[in-house]
């Protein structure tokens, strides 16, 4: 496959993914922007509200949009391979049905808005599979077999309600689902069951969705996304995420790769002391490329 072929496949895949994400907001939202998922339902038609815990919200969001992702993949001529293990990269591998050399890695990332931007999220490991790109440790296919690595991101707002109160699941019965109306305020165990008229009257824990798609390297920062694991951090600006305006975006993918492959391993002497290099400016100085300092994109502090 020629370099031109690879770029053509990448451009087509990216444009298709962007068109797809533009439709997702309507799919997951009610008319007023609330999340259309209200809770879990059992065979007795009791609806249990969802915790506001970010891990729970993220997993349910992934389940919610997954049928749409499958349909999208089929429409553009790809099949999807799910990761074999929970800690493997990526979440989704898109494989072209007509040319299985053409593979794309897509990670689903969810985060919520804060006053200063968003809550941080990570863009995958800079450990074994990132460094040894022809190996299959903790990755579905060797890293260098993917033509591109993408983030399908979901940004949402937490509903302005008592989030601590939601740690205890509330239980509702909805009249529009009942074959025979139950008496209000009956109990399941120690918990009250409250009757409500319809599903929309149950408060959604999140709202105001913003979907985006970006190449991983274009939204990366030069800081780790978490303190104890080897994960690449992202920019924390919503505007920069939408515009693929991360720290490396003007330098190029090659510098992103080289920086994160060497993160924490390369050292330099600074103020008479040997220190590990953990920022892009120092790394470029270490490489003798201070002429590229003006291409480092500084973090946008506004959302």
């Amino acid at each position: 496959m020629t370099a031109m072929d690879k770029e053509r496949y990448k451009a087509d895949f990216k444009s298709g993914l962007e068109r797809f994400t533009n439709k997702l907001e309507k799919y997951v939202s009610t008319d007023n922007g609330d999340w259309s998922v209200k809770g879990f339902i059992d065979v007795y038609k009791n609806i249990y509200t969802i915790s506001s815990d970010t891990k729970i919200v993220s997993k349910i969001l992934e389940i919610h949009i997954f049928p749409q992702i499958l349909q999208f993949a089929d429409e553009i001529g790809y099949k999807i391979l799910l990761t074999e293990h929970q800690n493997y990269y990526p979440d989704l591998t898109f494989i072209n049905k007509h040319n299985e050399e053409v593979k794309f890695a897509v990670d689903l990332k969810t985060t919520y808005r804060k006053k200063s931007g968003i809550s941080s999220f990570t863009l995958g490991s800079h450990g074994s599979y990132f460094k040894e790109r022809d190996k299959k440790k903790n990755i579905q296919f060797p890293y260098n077999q993917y033509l591109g690595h993408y983030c399908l991101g979901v940004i949402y707002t937490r509903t302005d309600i008592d989030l601590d109160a939601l740690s205890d699941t509330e239980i509702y019965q909805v009249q529009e689902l009942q074959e025979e109306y139950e008496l209000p305020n009956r109990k399941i165990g120690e918990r009250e069951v409250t009757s409500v008229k319809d599903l929309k009257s149950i408060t959604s824990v999140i709202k105001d969705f913003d979907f985006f798609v970006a190449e991983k390297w274009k939204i990366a920062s030069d800081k780790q996304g978490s303190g104890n694991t080897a994960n690449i951090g992202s920019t924390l600006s919503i505007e920069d995420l939408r515009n693929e305006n991360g720290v490396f975006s003007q330098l190029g993918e090659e510098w992103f790769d080289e920086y994160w492959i060497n993160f924490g391993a390369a050292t330099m002497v600074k103020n008479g002391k040997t220190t590990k290099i953990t920022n892009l400016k120092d790394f470029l100085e270490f490489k003798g490329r201070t002429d590229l300092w003006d291409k480092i994109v500084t973090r946008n502090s506004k959302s």
Side-chain angles (χ1 to χ4, degrees):
M1 193 187 316
T2 67
M4 187 176 295
D5 288 335
K6 291 180 181 179
E7 289 304 314
R8 177 174 55 83
Y9 277 117
K10 283 187 68 174
D12 290 346
F13 183 77
K14 173 76 177 300
S15 62
L17 203 53
E18 286 174 335
R19 289 193 300 272
F20 168 66
T21 55
N22 288 337
K23 300 176 183 178
L24 283 177
E25 181 182 355
K26 186 175 182 180
Y27 174 73
V28 302
S29 303
T30 62
D31 292 341
N32 64 353
D34 289 342
W35 192 14
S36 57
V37 172
K38 297 294 182 176
F40 302 98
I41 188 169
D42 64 19
V43 294
Y44 305 108
K45 301 180 182 178
N46 298 308
I47 295 172
Y48 302 82
T49 57
I50 299 168
S51 166
S52 61
D53 181 272
T54 53
K55 290 183 179 178
I56 294 174
V57 168
S58 295
K59 180 52 64 178
I60 297 173
L61 262 173
E62 290 175 15
I63 295 169
H64 192 185
I65 66 175
F66 187 66
Q68 296 296 305
I69 293 173
L70 287 176
Q71 182 179 332
F72 158 70
D74 187 61
E75 288 173 353
I76 64 170
Y78 283 77
K79 59 184 178 181
I80 287 180
L81 188 63
L82 296 175
T83 181
E84 294 176 356
H85 303 281
Q86 186 174 0
N87 63 339
Y88 270 35
Y89 174 85
D91 293 329
L92 305 169
T93 295
F94 283 73
I95 304 173
N96 191 286
K97 292 179 180 180
H98 306 291
N99 183 354
E100 294 200 347
E101 285 186 63
V102 179
K103 300 182 185 75
F104 293 101
V106 177
D107 262 351
L108 304 176
K109 298 294 182 180
T110 61
T111 188
Y112 58 90
R113 293 179 180 87
K114 298 170 69 175
K115 289 182 179 179
S116 59
I118 61 166
S119 176
S120 63
F121 63 86
T122 61
L123 298 174
S125 173
H126 59 84
S128 57
Y129 68 74
F130 190 82
K131 294 177 179 178
E132 298 179 286
R133 299 190 165 201
D134 57 346
K135 302 290 195 304
K136 280 194 67 176
K137 186 177 180 181
N138 297 334
I139 189 170
Q140 197 67 44
F141 294 96
Y143 195 92
N144 60 12
Q145 288 189 16
Y146 291 96
L147 297 190
H149 300 262
Y150 294 89
C151 170
L152 197 168
V154 190
I155 303 169
Y156 58 84
T157 298
R158 287 174 153 184
T159 304
D160 188 18
I161 55 179
D162 186 355
L163 295 176
D164 292 330
L166 284 178
S167 61
D168 291 327
T169 301
E170 297 187 53
I171 307 170
Y172 297 93
Q173 279 210 336
V174 181
Q175 290 182 4
E176 64 185 359
L177 296 179
Q178 292 171 320
E179 295 171 4
E180 296 180 5
Y181 293 144
E182 301 285 348
L183 291 173
N185 299 322
R186 68 181 180 85
K187 287 188 175 182
I188 296 179
E190 295 299 316
R191 295 184 179 177
E192 299 286 343
V193 179
T194 305
S195 292
V196 293
K197 184 178 180 181
D198 54 44
L199 283 167
K200 288 185 178 180
S201 65
I202 300 174
T203 302
S204 301
V205 293
I206 59 175
K207 62 183 180 179
D208 299 336
F209 293 90
D210 192 354
F211 290 85
F212 69 91
V213 58
E215 277 198 83
K216 184 170 72 172
W217 71 269
K218 289 184 179 179
I219 59 171
S221 76
D222 60 349
K223 304 298 181 187
Q224 291 195 131
S226 53
N228 298 323
T229 55
N231 283 314
I232 300 167
S234 75
T235 178
L236 300 180
S237 160
I238 295 174
E239 180 183 349
D240 287 343
L241 288 171
R242 290 192 189 114
N243 296 324
E244 294 185 307
N245 195 35
V247 171
F248 298 89
S249 57
Q250 293 183 22
L251 282 166
E253 189 171 9
E254 295 79 8
W255 281 109
F256 162 79
D257 286 341
E258 188 166 356
Y259 175 80
W260 279 109
I261 286 172
N262 290 285
F263 182 86
T267 59
M268 66 186 301
V269 176
K270 202 167 188 179
N271 299 324
K273 295 181 179 180
T274 301
T275 58
K276 291 183 178 181
I277 297 173
T278 57
N279 68 76
L280 183 53
K281 187 174 182 180
D282 282 352
F283 185 73
L284 290 176
E285 181 179 352
F286 170 76
K287 299 292 289 187
R289 295 305 306 272
T290 56
D291 59 304
L292 296 177
W293 277 357
D294 62 344
K295 291 187 177 293
I296 299 173
V297 177
T298 56
R299 287 182 173 181
N300 190 337
S301 61
K302 299 179 181 179
S303 60

